[in-house]
Structures are given as C-alpha cells and as structure tokens.
Amino acid sequence: MKRHCQSELFIYNENNCIQVVASTKQRNKWWNVSQDSAPQFQRDEETTIHAAHVNEAKVVHVPYVVVLAGDVSGRVIRLKPGRQMDAGRSRNCDIFLDDQNISRRHSRFVVHANGDTILEDLDSTNGTLVNGKKIDSVKLCDGDRICLGNVILRYSLKDDLEFVFQQELFEKATKDPLTGAHNKAFFLDAFQKEFNYHSRYEKPLSVLIFDLDNFKKINDVYGHVNGDIVLKTFAEQIISCLRKEDLFARFGGEEFMALFRNTTKETALRIGGKLLELVRAMKFSTPSAEFQTSVTIGVATLENDNFDSPQSMIVCADSRLYQGKQNGKDQVVG
C-alpha cells in the first residue's frame, strides 16, 4: 500500500514495514524501518563504494589533507587535481582555517592532474612548516605533516577507499546518526568560533532554537518508530532550506539549533517564520492515521556587544522558546 504526503512517500508492505522514500532533492537517501527494529540507514551513493565493484574498479589515488590539531580535528579536505587551492583564515580561501596565527592567505596547494601536490608559502607572517622545516615551496609526500599557525594537517595520497573511510570517521564523530544534523559537541565548538569572529568584526550573528511541539504525544500515540521518522524528516527538510554556510544541529531529543552568520534579528525572525510554515506543511502517515506537527522557535541575535558568550545567547533563545511554549506554541519569539 502506498501513501503520499507533501514531503515524503510512505510505502507499507504486508509485514507492516515502513519504507520512507525521500523527496526528489533527497531521492537517493531512503531508509527502512520495521516496527520491531531500530532504523537501518542506506549509505549515500556519493560516498559509498560497493564491495561488489571494488575488484573491478581502477584504483584512483586521491590527494587530501586531514586536520590533526587546531580548527576542527578530523576534518577531511579533498584537494582537487588541476587546481590551486589557497589556505588561510580569510573566508574567501578555498580552505578556511580558523586560527589567529594563520595569515589571511597563508599558503597554496598546487595540485597537478596526476595528484602530485606542491605546497607554497604565500609570504605568511608565521611561515609554513612541513615536517618541522620552514618552506617556500615543496612537493608533498604521503604522510607529510604541515603546520600553519596552530593548525596541523597531514597530507595523504591514498586510494578512494581510504578517502571515503576518513570521511566516514569524521561524519560519525560530528553528526547525529538518526537525523544527519550536526551533533551538540560540534555545534558548540563552531558556535564559539563564530561568536569570536562576529564579535571581533562587529557583525550580527543569530541563533535559533527549535522544539517540536507535543512530541511526547507523537511517541505515545504513534510509536517511537514514527517519532524517529518525524525527527529525521524535520531535520532533512530544514537542512534542505539552509545556506551552505548555515549550521544546523540536533541538541537533544526533539530540540534542534541553527546558527546564521552575518544575520540580523529582523532577518532571523523572517527565516524563523518561513521555517515555521515549512513544518506546518509537513504531513506524516501511519497504517492507521495521518498527522501533522508544529514547532516553536526562540531567537537570539548578537548585535552591538549585547552578549558576552555563546552560552548567554543560548540561554536567551531558550527563554524565548519557553515563552512561545507558554503562549500557545507554533510560533517564533525573538
């Protein structure tokens, strides 16, 4: 039996198994859930090499760097053959590294078509070190350690499987396995860095806290499997609407947070209103009933040094969220 909703296609088979087939934008990300088992997720085809084809595939060596210390440890950055990629603390760099001891444009990776990589220093203030030695220009070898300010990178030239493996390790360490949103630890670390940056350059920064309304009732009435479907669908739909530079995370249970760079309070409230409408339009189906949900959103914006820390912004947004819950839910409060 098939049922349609605005954002998903739900298929129920004779074993009472729910298959959720995502919208066109997310069509390659689908999952099966039985009522008696935990969710089993299919990996994204873009990052998975199926074992059946490994022996047939031509081994392709991929140049990339892994952040070992500083910035976001474990982050994997693919170097693109045939391109020059600048690294520095300017957000316009191909590789943005958040460290005050790094120059705005610190160094350049010159990647040849065959994967060979030349690292050049761009007259940086503190220099570029490879394996502890200061360099002007050097051809990198697999395993070389690169030091830019307080950030340490490891250069690798490995086959595609090794690159995918490193990516998956980073994903598991930084993302919520159910929803695909970032996890709390990653969000708080990024929030601190963004707060420091926006405070230093006197730019507005907005945080939104989302809490799905009456979620306990959804679990009690429709079961935890369908509760998980609601959480996953909610996260996927929100993520699909955000800009690449926006940050979205699951903070715990049915509570999520989003961080918007260079965004005023007025704009943040407008964004919150649009996301409110998005959630209202979501429809969910079970074998016995269809239901909808809503969300309450609290907003806090850093402007004119009105907050002294990310924590104070979170406390403010959370209090406004609570205010919205007390005033009837399904609203944005800022």
Side-chain angles (χ1 to χ4, degrees):
M1 178 177 66
K2 295 184 179 180
R3 291 190 176 208
H4 294 269
C5 73
Q6 186 161 340
S7 59
E8 306 282 354
L9 168 64
F10 292 71
I11 305 175
Y12 300 90
N13 62 25
E14 58 185 4
N15 297 320
N16 200 29
C17 177
I18 304 172
Q19 291 182 344
V20 186
V21 183
S23 59
T24 302
K25 180 176 276 189
Q26 301 289 338
R27 63 186 180 278
N28 294 326
K29 297 179 181 177
W30 63 277
W31 52 303
N32 288 334
V33 181
S34 80
Q35 298 286 2
D36 301 318
S37 65
Q40 301 294 321
F41 295 91
Q42 177 173 318
R43 294 177 180 177
D44 191 325
E45 63 180 12
E46 293 180 0
T47 58
T48 302
I49 297 179
H50 298 286
H53 302 295
V54 168
N55 292 330
E56 303 173 10
K58 180 181 178 180
V59 175
V60 178
H61 288 90
V62 179
Y64 63 94
V65 291
V66 180
V67 179
L68 300 181
D71 194 57
V72 181
S73 297
R75 175 183 168 200
V76 184
I77 305 163
R78 187 166 189 161
L79 303 176
K80 300 177 182 178
R83 282 192 55 186
Q84 296 182 355
M85 301 179 68
D86 289 354
R89 62 179 173 86
S90 168
R91 293 186 184 274
N92 294 322
C93 285
D94 304 290
I95 303 172
F96 169 65
L97 299 170
D98 189 13
D99 183 83
Q100 285 304 296
N101 290 316
I102 292 178
S103 298
R104 294 184 63 79
R105 290 192 179 274
H106 195 102
S107 58
R108 174 173 294 157
F109 292 88
V110 181
V111 191
H112 296 289
N114 64 355
D116 288 348
T117 304
I118 307 298
L119 179 63
E120 301 174 350
D121 183 74
L122 299 179
D123 294 324
S124 62
T125 302
N126 293 319
T128 299
L129 281 71
V130 175
N131 299 326
K133 296 181 180 179
K134 200 168 184 177
I135 62 98
D136 292 318
S137 177
V138 69
K139 179 181 177 181
L140 295 173
C141 298
D142 183 39
D144 279 349
R145 292 201 174 193
I146 305 162
C147 181
L148 311 176
N150 294 320
V151 177
I152 299 176
L153 309 172
R154 183 186 68 225
Y155 173 78
S156 291
L157 185 61
K158 305 279 189 186
D159 63 71
D160 220 23
L161 281 175
E162 178 71 20
F163 172 72
V164 171
F165 174 70
Q166 291 291 343
Q167 275 191 319
E168 289 183 343
L169 286 180
F170 182 67
E171 293 282 312
K172 288 178 181 179
T174 60
K175 291 196 173 181
D176 173 60
L178 173 64
T179 64
H182 288 293
N183 59 32
K184 181 177 180 180
F186 181 88
F187 182 89
L188 290 177
D189 183 62
F191 194 178
Q192 182 66 63
K193 292 175 181 177
E194 292 297 337
F195 184 89
N196 294 342
Y197 175 86
H198 286 74
S199 296
R200 186 184 313 123
Y201 294 104
E202 299 181 342
K203 295 179 179 292
L205 176 69
S206 292
V207 63
L208 275 64
I209 300 183
F210 307 76
D211 192 272
L212 286 165
D213 298 327
N214 306 312
F215 187 72
K216 183 179 184 302
K217 182 179 179 181
I218 292 174
N219 277 334
D220 291 343
V221 174
Y222 302 107
H224 288 274
V225 168
N226 287 305
D228 284 349
I229 291 173
V230 171
L231 291 173
K232 186 173 189 295
T233 303
F234 168 80
E236 286 183 344
Q237 294 297 314
I238 297 295
I239 291 170
S240 71
C241 294
L242 301 183
R243 302 170 302 179
K244 183 178 180 180
E245 64 266 29
D246 299 329
L247 187 64
F248 183 73
R250 186 181 182 190
F251 220 58
E254 67 273 23
E255 190 170 84
F256 295 79
M257 301 187 74
L259 192 63
F260 297 90
R261 298 171 179 166
N262 199 23
T263 300
T264 64
K265 180 178 179 179
E266 180 183 359
T267 302
L269 289 172
R270 187 165 61 249
I271 292 171
K274 291 181 179 180
L275 296 178
L276 203 70
E277 293 295 332
L278 176 71
V279 176
R280 287 172 181 163
M282 293 180 189
K283 296 181 180 179
F284 302 91
S285 297
T286 72
S288 59
E290 293 185 353
F291 64 94
Q292 292 177 271
T293 188
S294 62
V295 68
T296 302
I297 305 173
V299 179
T301 301
L302 171 69
E303 291 178 305
N304 303 318
D305 294 325
N306 56 334
F307 292 103
D308 60 5
S309 68
Q311 290 73 24
S312 61
M313 288 184 67
I314 292 173
V315 169
C316 178
D318 195 50
S319 67
R320 288 170 178 169
L321 170 67
Y322 179 76
Q323 180 183 338
K325 292 284 189 181
Q326 294 296 103
N327 292 335
K329 306 176 182 178
D330 190 24
Q331 58 189 271
V332 182
V333 181

